[in-house]
């Protein structure tokens, strides 16, 4: 599952059941969650049960999965239950059974087969635009707006960023501060550790991070979060360069259009226009396709318009650094941890020093993040070496970091007091499989995780299985 899927999934899991009931009344939402949030096995289970009206005994469900994949089955069923897609039924004298919930099942059937007139997938505009808007124009607009957001985050480094007329609204700046991506002190804007991790993500993950922050802030803005979520999932089903009418949108969704335009997710000729165009940032919300036409796994290639080669950084053993780029954004990111001294039309050069790296660490950027950035964007010539980055540089960056650090704290939850090794090993291995395990001690039957909800649900399901004799 991609980073963006995990981010949006975590938010959905925190919603109450009444919200899911309203959300799933929209076929576009049911289809988007099916496509985007579910692993392959969960999708297979949903499709197999979609036209089954009676509860399915758990013994029948287990016959669909190979014996060696029973853990994957438990994970898929647990996820479907948390998303209110699947519910268990227990009747006296009958084995434990599962059934798909409504309205999810009915909405997904409608989305797959067509029919209905709920306008869940947007209403194409009947008004002929004065001038057609091409996909290239939409990509250019989305790229310019998104680069403006990233430029604001790293623009406090002293590098003159040319945002090409992009002016971020106060609400966008507040959202970045609310999410802990920037630290605003007076007129100074400093990128944080979370902010630097944010700019290293691929574009689709960045968009979902911003949208989840928007959702968390929606109620403070007087918005209905169900309307917000429904609109976002609907955008993922729209067609690029097709004009859509605003006539069927709610007040909340009309207000969203103005904010989403600042992020380059929606394009409008002017705020009073009766139509809007989804950009590629919108139409890829519920898919794993690249968010922009030139997108690859990292943000800089998604924002570059002239090259498909993402490697542009050369670093020497004497800490000299050369970057073959003319992008103000890429240069600004480099200046977060390097002292740049010379700039040419297509290259900048400088040096990584103790002071420049310690300054970045003081802003919350970690040494590992700097190393990952240099490795990800290393020039093709450097990748021909046995060690892509000089070991002396990697070691020195880590030494500069630990000068001011002797301990690393991690917020999480400790599970202990297991009665037997068998009772301990199952949830511990499950925590490792889902990527939340930080530390374990097999001798003392203790383990530490960053999130407890899924592990607690797993423990509950295992307890019910033992009680039911399964």
């Amino acid at each position: 599952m991609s980073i963006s899927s995990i981010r949006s999934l975590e938010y959905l899991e925190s919603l109450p059941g009444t919200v899911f009931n309203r959300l799933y009344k929209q076929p576009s939402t049911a289809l988007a969650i099916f496509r985007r949030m579910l692993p392959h096995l969960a999708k297979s289970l949903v499709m197999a049960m979609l036209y089954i009206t009676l509860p399915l005994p758990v013994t029948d469900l287990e016959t669909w999965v190979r014996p060696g994949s029973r853990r994957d089955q438990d994970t898929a069923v647990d996820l479907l239950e948390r998303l209110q897609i699947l519910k268990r039924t227990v009747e006296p004298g009958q084995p434990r059974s599962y059934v798909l919930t409504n309205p999810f099942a009915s909405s997904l059937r409608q989305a797959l087969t067509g029919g209905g007139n709920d306008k869940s997938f947007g209403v194409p505009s009947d008004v002929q635009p004065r001038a057609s808007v091409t996909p290239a124009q939409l990509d250019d607009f989305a790229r310019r707006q998104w680069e403006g957001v990233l430029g604001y985050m790293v623009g406090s480094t002293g590098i003159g960023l040319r945002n090409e007329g992009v002016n971020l609204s106060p609400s966008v700046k507040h959202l970045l501060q609310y999410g802990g991506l920037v630290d605003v002190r007076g007129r100074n804007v400093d990128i944080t550790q979370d902010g630097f991790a944010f700019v290293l993500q691929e574009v689709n993950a960045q968009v979902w991070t911003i949208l989840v922050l928007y959702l968390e802030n929606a109620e403070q803005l007087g918005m209905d979060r169900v309307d917000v979520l429904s609109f976002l999932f609907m955008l993922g089903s729209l067609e690029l360069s097709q004009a859509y009418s605003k006539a069927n949108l709610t007040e909340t969704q009309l207000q969203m259009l103005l904010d989403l335009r600042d992020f380059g997710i929606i394009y409008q000729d002017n705020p009073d226009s009766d139509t809007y165009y989804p950009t590629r940032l919108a139409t890829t919300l519920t898919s794993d396709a690249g968010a922009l036409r030139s997108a690859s796994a990292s943000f800089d290639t998604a924002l570059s318009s002239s090259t498909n080669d993402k490697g542009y950084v050369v670093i020497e053993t004497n800490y000299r650094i050369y970057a073959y780029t003319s992008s103000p954004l890429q240069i600004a990111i480099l200046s977060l941890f390097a002292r740049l001294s010379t700039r040419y039309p297509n290259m900048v050069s400088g040096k990584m020093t103790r002071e420049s790296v310690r300054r970045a660490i003081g802003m919350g950027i970690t040494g590992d993040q700097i190393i990952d950035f240099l490795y990800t964007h290393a020039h093709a010539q450097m990748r021909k070496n046995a060690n892509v980055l000089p070991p002396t540089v990697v070691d020195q960056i880590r030494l500069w970091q630990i000068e001011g650090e002797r301990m690393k704290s991690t917020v999480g939850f400790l599970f202990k007091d297991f009665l037997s090794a068998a009772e301990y090993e199952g949830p511990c291995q499950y925590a490792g499989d889902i990527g939340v395990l930080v530390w374990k001690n097999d001798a003392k039957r203790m383990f530490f995780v960053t999130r407890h909800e899924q592990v607690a649900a797993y423990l509950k399901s295992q307890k019910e299985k033992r009680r039911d004799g399964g």
Side-chain angles (χ1 to χ4, degrees):
M1 189 178 292
S2 66
I3 295 174
S4 50
S5 295
I6 293 172
R7 175 72 177 176
S8 47
L9 179 60
E10 289 176 349
Y11 178 80
L12 285 173
E13 288 179 0
S14 67
L15 299 176
T18 53
V19 173
F20 280 107
N21 188 58
R22 291 181 58 196
L23 273 176
Y24 291 157
K25 290 180 179 178
Q26 299 293 329
S28 58
T29 298
L31 181 62
I33 290 178
F34 175 81
R35 291 173 55 195
R36 182 67 176 177
M37 309 300 172
L38 302 185
H40 294 303
L41 181 55
K43 290 179 181 178
S44 298
L45 295 178
V46 170
M47 290 304 299
M49 299 176 64
L50 191 57
Y51 291 93
I52 297 178
T53 57
L54 297 177
L56 180 73
V58 67
T59 52
D60 291 350
L61 186 145
E62 289 175 348
T63 61
W64 297 347
V65 182
R66 292 178 299 180
S69 301
R70 196 58 54 83
R71 185 178 297 277
D72 294 332
Q73 172 197 311
D74 292 340
T75 302
V77 170
D78 179 57
L79 175 60
L80 292 173
E81 287 185 300
R82 295 200 310 273
L83 292 178
Q84 309 286 321
I85 295 174
L86 194 69
K87 69 178 180 180
R88 65 181 66 188
T89 61
V90 180
E91 297 182 4
Q94 298 294 328
R96 181 162 47 95
S97 303
Y98 289 102
V99 64
L100 291 182
T101 61
N102 271 316
F104 179 87
S106 58
S107 292
L108 182 59
R109 285 194 293 266
Q110 182 177 336
L112 295 176
T113 60
N117 190 31
D118 56 10
K119 303 177 181 179
S120 174
F121 292 92
V123 179
S125 174
D126 295 330
V127 180
Q128 186 69 23
R130 289 175 295 179
S132 59
V133 180
T134 66
Q137 290 174 317
L138 292 174
D139 284 349
D140 181 66
F141 170 77
R143 185 180 296 110
R144 188 170 63 250
Q145 293 295 124
W146 198 251
E147 187 169 26
V149 173
L150 299 181
Y152 170 76
M153 294 174 59
V154 301
S156 59
T157 58
I159 299 293
L161 285 177
R162 303 185 303 275
N163 283 344
E164 300 181 9
V166 176
N167 294 314
L168 300 183
S169 66
S171 62
V172 171
K173 296 178 181 179
H174 167 75
L175 194 63
L176 296 175
Q177 185 180 5
Y178 167 82
L181 303 180
V182 295
D183 183 20
V184 180
R185 300 174 183 175
R187 295 185 177 181
N188 294 326
V189 181
D190 295 323
I191 192 170
T192 65
Q193 178 180 341
D194 289 342
F196 193 73
F198 172 83
V199 300
L200 293 181
Q201 295 175 350
E202 47 95 14
V203 176
N204 199 273
Q206 291 176 346
V207 173
W208 267 113
T209 298
I210 290 294
L211 293 180
V212 169
L213 292 176
Y214 190 84
L215 284 162
E216 293 172 347
N217 207 33
E219 292 186 348
Q220 299 180 21
L221 301 174
M223 294 181 168
D224 184 341
R225 60 180 174 178
V226 174
D227 277 351
V228 174
L229 270 170
S230 297
F231 188 57
L232 294 178
F233 285 129
M234 183 193 75
L235 289 176
S237 66
L238 302 185
E239 183 180 347
L240 188 68
S241 76
Q242 168 67 53
Y244 290 88
S245 172
K246 294 164 47 177
N248 67 313
L249 301 184
T250 65
E251 289 297 324
T252 290
Q253 293 167 350
L254 290 173
Q255 183 180 346
M256 286 178 64
L257 286 180
L258 300 177
D259 296 328
L260 296 182
R261 185 183 186 279
D262 284 343
F263 289 114
I265 298 173
I266 290 296
Y267 172 78
Q268 285 183 290
D269 294 329
N270 62 76
D272 297 326
S273 175
D274 293 330
T275 60
Y276 64 94
Y277 294 83
T279 69
R280 205 176 298 272
L281 292 177
T283 59
T284 56
L285 281 175
T286 56
S287 73
D288 287 322
L292 296 176
R293 182 173 294 275
S294 57
S296 69
S298 56
F299 78 99
D300 63 298
T301 47
L303 296 174
S304 64
S305 56
S306 60
T307 179
N308 291 324
D309 186 5
K310 66 179 179 180
Y312 61 91
V313 176
V314 174
I315 186 165
E316 299 177 335
T317 54
N318 59 1
Y319 312 107
R320 293 287 302 176
I321 190 168
Y322 305 90
Y324 293 89
T325 180
S326 58
S327 166
L329 177 59
Q330 294 171 352
I331 294 170
I333 293 174
L334 283 172
S335 68
L336 291 172
F337 55 84
R339 181 172 57 83
L340 302 182
S341 56
T342 309
R343 183 169 181 175
Y344 299 100
N346 65 339
M347 188 190 78
V348 295
S349 65
K351 189 174 184 178
M352 293 179 60
T353 65
R354 178 181 181 275
E355 290 74 20
S356 65
V357 173
R358 293 288 298 159
R359 184 183 71 244
I361 292 171
M363 297 166 61
I365 300 170
T366 67
D368 286 338
Q369 285 179 320
I370 296 173
I371 293 167
D372 289 343
F373 178 86
L374 293 173
Y375 182 87
T376 301
H377 304 290
H379 194 278
Q381 289 296 324
M382 296 195 65
R383 297 188 178 277
K384 296 180 180 179
N385 303 327
N387 296 308
V388 176
L389 301 179
T392 53
V393 174
V394 173
D395 293 342
Q396 189 59 63
I397 291 174
R398 292 193 170 120
L399 287 173
W400 282 331
Q401 175 168 354
I402 64 175
E403 283 181 3
E405 290 183 5
R406 293 296 181 267
M407 184 177 297
K408 179 181 179 182
S409 62
T410 301
V411 178
F413 306 87
L414 180 67
F415 285 79
K416 61 178 183 177
D417 298 333
F418 292 95
L419 299 179
S420 66
E423 188 182 59
Y424 159 78
E425 290 170 356
C428 183
Q429 184 175 348
Y430 177 73
D433 292 342
I434 62 176
V436 298
L437 181 66
V438 176
W439 170 87
K440 67 176 181 176
N441 187 319
D442 294 335
K444 295 183 178 180
R445 297 174 188 168
M446 302 166 60
F447 63 92
F448 187 83
V449 298
T450 54
R451 286 176 56 84
H452 70 91
E453 295 89 354
Q454 292 171 272
V455 179
Y458 175 84
L459 287 169
K460 182 179 178 181
S461 66
Q462 294 302 304
K463 182 179 179 181
E464 292 177 352
K465 280 187 176 181
R466 289 194 296 270
R467 184 184 61 196
D468 296 339

